[in-house]
Amino acid sequence: QVRLVESGGGLVQPGGSLRLSCVASGGFISSFDAMAWYRQAPGKQREWVATIAPGRSPRYADPVNGRFTISRDNTKHTVFLQMNSLKPEDTGVYFCKAIEHNLWGQGTQVTVSA
């Protein structure tokens, strides 16, 4: 039983920052595996946010490019999403995904509001 567990979400003001974490537990996610972050706003389709893959530069969706940074700590089986200059339209549930395993976490809520 392999699980991805997101954390770090919360309420933040516009222009603020949050750092999301996604920890793989109950099994092993290889350092060779590609990982991604997605998000889903209320009433909207889940959308891709960022991907990190070994030997490749991280990729970002246009709305977050330049503001978000995806990274990983393979020794801790953790993927991070550093979110800066947050906007209200960044609000949603953020999910991490192990691409090759088609494995999703349960999501963590991010709310950007004054």
Side-chain angles (χ1 to χ4, degrees):
Q1 182 214 6
V2 182
R3 298 175 62 207
L4 300 178
V5 180
E6 301 95 333
S7 63
L11 175 63
V12 65
Q13 295 182 11
S17 298
L18 285 174
R19 189 198 196 204
L20 307 184
S21 299
C22 172
V23 179
S25 62
F28 177 74
I29 300 296
S30 171
S31 62
F32 299 104
D33 293 337
M35 302 291 294
W37 286 95
Y38 289 73
R39 68 186 182 187
Q40 187 168 17
K44 301 293 185 180
Q45 189 79 18
R46 188 173 298 185
E47 65 177 355
W48 169 73
V49 173
T51 301
I52 186 167
R56 300 288 183 179
S57 299
R59 298 187 296 111
Y60 302 94
D62 287 341
V64 309
N65 191 38
R67 300 186 296 119
F68 290 11
T69 302
I70 187 171
S71 62
R72 68 196 302 170
D73 183 342
N74 292 321
T75 65
K76 298 182 180 295
H77 305 133
T78 303
V79 181
F80 303 97
L81 185 68
Q82 179 66 44
M83 306 185 295
N84 298 325
S85 302
L86 283 162
K87 306 174 180 179
E89 50 262 47
D90 295 318
T91 294
V93 179
Y94 283 69
F95 303 86
C96 65
K97 182 183 183 181
I99 300 298
E100 289 88 350
H101 301 274
N102 195 32
L103 178 65
W104 296 86
Q106 86 291 342
T108 185
Q109 176 71 45
V110 172
T111 303
V112 185
S113 175

